[in-house]
Each structure stands twice: as C-alpha cells, then as structure tokens.
Amino acid sequence: MSKLPDPFREGLARGWKATNGEAGLPQEIQCDVAIVGSGAGAGITAELLTKAGLDVVLIEEGPLKTSSDFNQKESEAYASLYQEGAGRRTMDGALTLLQGRCVGGTTVINWTSSFRTPASTLGYWQDKFGLKDFSEAAMAPWFDQAEKRLNVHKWDIPPNPNNELLRTGANKLGISAEVIPRNVKTCYNLGSCGMGCPTNAKQSMLVTTIPAALETGARLFHQTRAQRFEFDGNRVTGLECVGIRINGTRTSDQVMRVKARHYVVSGGAINSPALLKRSDAPDPHGLLGTRTFLHPVAFSNGVYKERVEGWSGAPQSIYSDHFVHNAPFDGPIGYKLEATPIHPGLMSVLMGGYGKALAERVENYPHTQTMLSLMRDGFHPESEGGTVLLNVDGMPLLNYVMSDYVLAGFKQSLLTMAEIQFAAGATKVLPLHEQGRYYTSWAEAKAAIEAFEMKAYYVGGGSAHIMGGCGMGGSEKLGVVRPDGVHWQIENLSVHDGSIFPTSIGANPQLSIYGVVNRMATQLAKRLSNKDVALA
C-alpha cells in the first residue's frame, strides 16, 4: 500500500497544540472546560464546546498514535492502544476486558458496529431510573446528528464469509439476520479495525471530532493521567494530573494542576468511576462504581470445507437481534449474535486449548468461522453487574462475578450458535468452553453443550463493552449523574461516557454514547456559553 496522508500529523505540523506528558508538563493551566479522556464521549463533547467558543483542554493518559503508526500488527497494537496491553481482566481473572487507551480511546480500536440504543432499553430506563425524556422519539434527532457527522450507514459491500455464514445459517433456521451500520468512509475493507485504521476510513474520534476541536484551538495533553479532583463544597476547584510513560508508570513527582470553569469526565466505564473514587467524590447513596455492566461474550467456532479467512474484510457486517427482541426482561438473558474477526493472536485465544489440541485448531484456522453472542446484562434481579474498586495504588479494579443467570445465557447461546453454524454447512463445531471439543453433528453438539458445567474459568469469555458505574438517574437516589450528565452533588462536574448507562445497552454501545453525549454536550455548551451549537 502506498503511503497515505495523515491528517493528524499534518495538523500538528500546522500548529495544533499537543503536549506529551512524558516530556514534561507545566505546573498549572487554565481553561473553560477540562475533559478527561479522548474517546467517544470526550470527542463529541470537545467538538461541540469548541464550536461554542469555549477554551477546551483534553487530558488523555494513553499515547498519541495516528494512521502513520498503524501497521496491522497485533503485537504492537494490543500493547500500545489497549488498556493494560489488552490484558485488563475482572478481579477474578475470569473475563478479559478490551478497552482502548490512546488518543481517540476505544473508537480507535473498535470494529465500527453502530447501533442506536434499542427502544426497549430506553423504555426500561424511563420506567426504572426516572429518565422520562429518554424516549425513542426524543433521542432520534441526537442519534441522527451523530450518524451524519460520523458517516454511519449500513455496510454496502458484500459481507466476508465470516459474516455471511452467520446470515446463511440463521436464515435457514428462520432467524432474522440484518446488515450492520458502520461508521466508515471510503473503507479499504482490510479487516484490521481492531488494530487502528491505517487508511483513516474509520470515523473514530481520532480523525473526526478531536481534529475539529484542535483546529478550533483546543489543547491536547496525552500520556497525562488525571490523578484526582480537588473539591470545595459542591464545586471542583482543581484537577491534579501527572505525566506517564506508555507503560503507565509516572515519569516524575511533577504535578500539573488544571483550573477550569467546568470539568467533564470521559475516561470510560471503570476509569471514570475510579477517578471519582480516587478523588473522594461525594457519594451519599453509595452508587458510585456500582451497577457496572458488561456484555459478557460467548464464542463458537465452526469449520467449513471452503476457506473462510476470518481475518480479512470488514470485521462485523451481519447481526441477529432475534434472541434479544424475543427475550423479556424477566426471563432468561437476551443475547445479540455477531461474527468475530479472527486474527492470529486473537484466534489463539478464541479457539482455546493448548498443545496438540491447539495445533489441530490452528490447522483449521483458514476454514474457521467464529460467532459471538453479546449477553444483555442489567435488566434482571439476578443480573446486577459488578463494582469498580480501587487497588492499593489507586488504579481501578472491576469486581464482576458471573451469576448463574448469566452463565445460563452462555449455555443457551452456545447451543444457538452451534445450531446456526451446522445449518450454514459446518463440518464440525467447537464451542469455546473448557469441556468443549469438535463435534461433527448438531445432535452431538447439542447433547455435549447441554451437559457442560457452567462456571467461571470453564466458559471462555470476555467483553469489549463496559458500561455503568456513574449511572444516570432522574433523582440522586437513582443515579450518580442527572439526565443532563451533571453530577448530582457537584455543580461543575459532568460525566460524558458509557459509564452513565443505567444498564448495558443490548447492542454495541458506541452510537449510544455518541447520541446521548451529543444531547448532554449541547446542553452544556448552551449553559456555559449561552450559544446554540449542533454536531451536524
């Protein structure tokens, strides 16, 4: 591939203001609004606030990597673009948690699937959390603006075999399967979305809202960790930040103090509640860090006679909501079906096993199709989520224990995926479970899966969707933040990221963050500047 333009580096050459905390930080800076983080919520907020003429500072603990750095190598991408080198896990080690840690956050390394918050989820929030203004009709304009700004549209290129086989098997069983909307423009269909887009086709915050904010005068501090807030009564009076190396260690004892009229926390679920906990933020009702939800993910591998090459092409382009739409909140857990791109490093985990078993599975690699199920967490009394805690060094931990209710969903979705894969023509299917092996018929797989012991460490699971911990509520007893994102007890502090969701979404959450934060940030811009601004 010939060398492509890198608009971010071109902007830096033109004078965009970006400081690497590893090289040193000033003792104090002042601004109108300080935003902690640079992912989905931070990017949308930064663009809208700078449009309103406000002086904005972005503070990101991850490194600044741009398309010139993205080379489709897993070994480099996971180490430099993900939280804890893609090794972040729940406290018990049972689930791997994939989150971005770079300028642009998770939007840089996600697989571009873009769904509006389901109407059923919004209705639940209205009923249970006092979010009366969060109806489907009320939210539609905010989603529409975000979709236009980020070029969200249904994938119009034929799906790769990894995705098409999901649709083939589902349709044969009478299960609906649809095309996924994706936030891409002039996509090369490389398939390396999870390693950073080398062509800038993915409309992440790295190539859209953050450049727009920097072009308007915003300042970016990267490799700069927000350490703690300082409070005086019901106001933040300052934010202490420190420079860090890419591995997360501090460079020195030097502290930068940020003084702003308003502060926005957009560090993502886990990091945002951890920052507030580290700062001893008011929490009169014991809600901070609680109700932290995942979409726990189960995986199933089908082997086909034809080559699948699941590493090539758009990672996710077909989905099925059949088992979400038909799952009442008071019944068994609902789950969404999608395909999983399988690059070599990721594949070695998702196929499970070791020694001869893993060698056999690698031999089948080019012919393997992998499906995933996203469990809809947080709508049932037995699905209470987890809690963000602080380690002795102040860094975050997620205490999330899979309940029998969630584990039952793992078993049911493994059955569903195996049946679909055999219907699509698989010669054998391997459910990701410690007791799993290759099965050569649906009847054999069904009997085996039904006999699986369902407990932590036996199911091979993880999640790239972490939500909650600073949930919205119509009253201070129902949430950490108000419906407009402002903290219930701190008048000049807002939270704008996935941590504000009272439950999981039941769909890939990036567009939910864009839409909800679009509304919150527009309201904040009006409050701070008395100006009306719009994303698109």
Side-chain angles (χ1 to χ4, degrees):
M1 184 188 303
S2 59
K3 187 174 180 62
L4 296 168
D6 185 336
F8 208 105
R9 290 196 179 182
E10 292 172 1
L12 291 172
R14 286 200 310 274
W16 287 357
K17 298 171 184 174
T19 300
N20 186 339
E22 185 173 4
L25 295 169
Q27 288 187 343
E28 182 174 298
I29 60 171
Q30 296 186 6
C31 58
D32 291 320
V33 183
I35 303 173
V36 177
S38 63
I44 295 292
T45 301
E47 176 167 345
L48 287 167
L49 296 185
T50 53
K51 276 189 175 184
L54 295 164
D55 180 15
V56 172
V57 166
L58 287 153
I59 300 160
E60 167 60 54
E61 78 165 25
L64 172 59
K65 301 287 185 179
T66 68
S67 57
S68 298
D69 302 301
F70 302 148
N71 55 20
Q72 301 179 276
K73 293 181 179 179
E74 289 180 283
S75 58
E76 295 183 17
Y78 298 153
S80 63
L81 302 177
Y82 286 68
Q83 290 284 350
E84 300 176 30
R88 175 168 277 185
R89 305 180 74 85
T90 52
M91 281 181 64
D92 62 4
L95 293 172
T96 299
L97 306 173
L98 298 180
Q99 291 180 295
R101 181 179 173 269
C102 56
V103 174
T106 302
T107 72
V108 174
I109 49 89
N110 69 21
W111 298 339
T112 77
S113 299
S114 303
F115 298 95
R116 294 188 181 191
T117 312
S120 57
T121 298
L122 291 173
Y124 189 86
W125 293 355
Q126 289 179 287
D127 293 340
K128 303 296 184 182
F129 296 94
L131 300 174
K132 301 303 182 185
D133 295 333
F134 279 73
S135 67
E136 185 177 19
M139 289 305 302
W142 304 105
F143 287 130
D144 185 62
Q145 288 181 12
E147 289 164 349
K148 286 183 170 65
R149 174 68 179 93
L150 303 174
N151 208 48
V152 174
H153 61 282
K154 288 188 176 181
W155 183 237
D156 52 10
I157 296 175
N160 65 7
N162 198 44
N163 282 269
E164 189 59 66
L165 286 166
L166 163 57
R167 179 161 59 182
T168 298
N171 287 346
K172 285 186 177 180
L173 296 173
I175 297 168
S176 62
E178 308 294 337
V179 175
I180 292 178
R182 306 181 67 228
N183 61 315
V184 296
K185 183 186 293 184
T186 318
C187 180
Y188 282 54
N189 204 23
L190 298 175
S192 58
C193 302
M195 293 167 266
C197 180
T199 70
N200 286 317
K202 185 197 299 188
Q203 299 300 283
S204 71
M205 301 300 92
L206 181 66
V207 301
T208 54
T209 59
I210 292 175
L214 292 173
E215 190 70 30
T216 316
R219 288 169 281 170
L220 170 67
F221 289 83
H222 53 99
Q223 286 183 237
T224 303
R225 176 179 294 138
Q227 196 77 354
R228 62 182 301 273
F229 288 109
E230 301 167 342
F231 299 106
D232 183 4
N234 64 347
R235 293 186 60 81
V236 179
T237 57
L239 172 64
E240 293 181 358
C241 301
V242 297
I244 61 172
R245 302 177 181 87
I246 289 182
N247 66 7
T249 60
R250 289 182 60 168
T251 57
S252 70
D253 293 332
Q254 180 186 12
V255 174
M256 177 177 75
R257 192 164 184 266
V258 182
K259 300 190 70 174
R261 291 171 55 197
H262 199 90
Y263 299 82
V264 178
V265 179
S266 299
I270 298 182
N271 287 346
S272 286
L275 171 59
L276 295 177
K277 279 179 170 282
R278 204 159 53 232
S279 306
D280 294 321
D283 184 25
H285 304 288
L287 300 175
L288 181 60
T290 67
R291 293 187 62 80
T292 301
F293 295 106
L294 310 176
H295 288 143
V297 178
F299 299 93
S300 183
N301 301 287
V303 178
Y304 295 80
K305 290 180 180 178
E306 63 273 20
R307 290 177 67 90
V308 176
E309 299 183 358
W311 59 84
S312 178
Q316 291 183 328
S317 53
I318 300 294
Y319 74 101
S320 175
D321 273 349
H322 178 86
F323 300 95
V324 175
H325 291 327
N326 296 324
F329 293 137
D330 59 356
I333 198 166
Y335 48 91
K336 186 184 191 81
L337 298 179
E338 295 172 343
T340 308
I342 45 173
H343 298 93
L346 185 60
M347 173 277 302
S348 67
V349 175
L350 298 184
M351 286 188 172
Y354 56 90
K356 290 183 178 180
L358 179 57
E360 177 191 5
R361 296 168 190 184
V362 172
E363 285 182 8
N364 293 319
Y365 174 38
H367 296 263
T368 297
Q369 184 263 356
T370 302
M371 285 176 59
L372 64 81
S373 61
L374 298 169
M375 251 65 69
R376 183 181 61 187
D377 193 9
F379 296 84
H380 189 278
E382 296 179 38
S383 182
E384 298 178 345
T387 302
V388 174
L389 305 172
L390 295 180
N391 206 340
V392 291
D393 60 357
M395 292 296 99
L397 299 168
L398 177 60
N399 182 24
Y400 180 95
V401 178
M402 285 185 288
S403 65
D404 290 341
Y405 176 76
V406 171
L407 288 168
F410 268 76
K411 176 175 284 191
Q412 186 56 48
S413 67
L414 288 174
L415 287 165
T416 295
M417 291 187 288
E419 185 176 14
I420 290 174
Q421 287 171 322
F422 278 116
T427 59
K428 52 187 176 182
V429 168
L430 172 69
L432 187 57
H433 187 281
E434 187 66 23
Q435 296 169 326
R437 58 177 180 80
Y438 281 118
Y439 306 107
T440 57
S441 71
W442 164 230
E444 182 187 23
K446 182 173 184 290
I449 294 170
E450 287 178 340
F452 282 172
E453 295 176 71
M454 302 307 294
K455 53 187 179 181
Y457 313 112
Y458 276 45
V459 296
S463 184
H465 303 160
I466 300 94
M467 298 148 281
C470 296
M472 297 181 287
S475 74
E476 65 175 49
K477 293 183 179 180
L478 293 174
V480 174
V481 301
R482 304 183 327 206
D484 63 359
V486 178
H487 195 284
W488 272 106
Q489 287 79 38
I490 308 168
E491 63 181 23
N492 65 335
L493 175 71
S494 298
V495 182
H496 288 184
D497 59 23
S499 70
I500 62 176
F501 298 145
T503 65
S504 76
I505 298 297
N508 308 58
Q510 75 159 338
L511 183 54
S512 290
I513 299 172
Y514 294 143
V516 173
V517 169
N518 181 21
R519 177 178 178 168
M520 291 177 167
T522 300
Q523 293 170 334
L524 181 61
K526 179 70 171 180
R527 174 183 163 191
L528 295 178
S529 70
N530 201 31
K531 294 180 181 178
D532 294 312
V533 295
L535 192 61

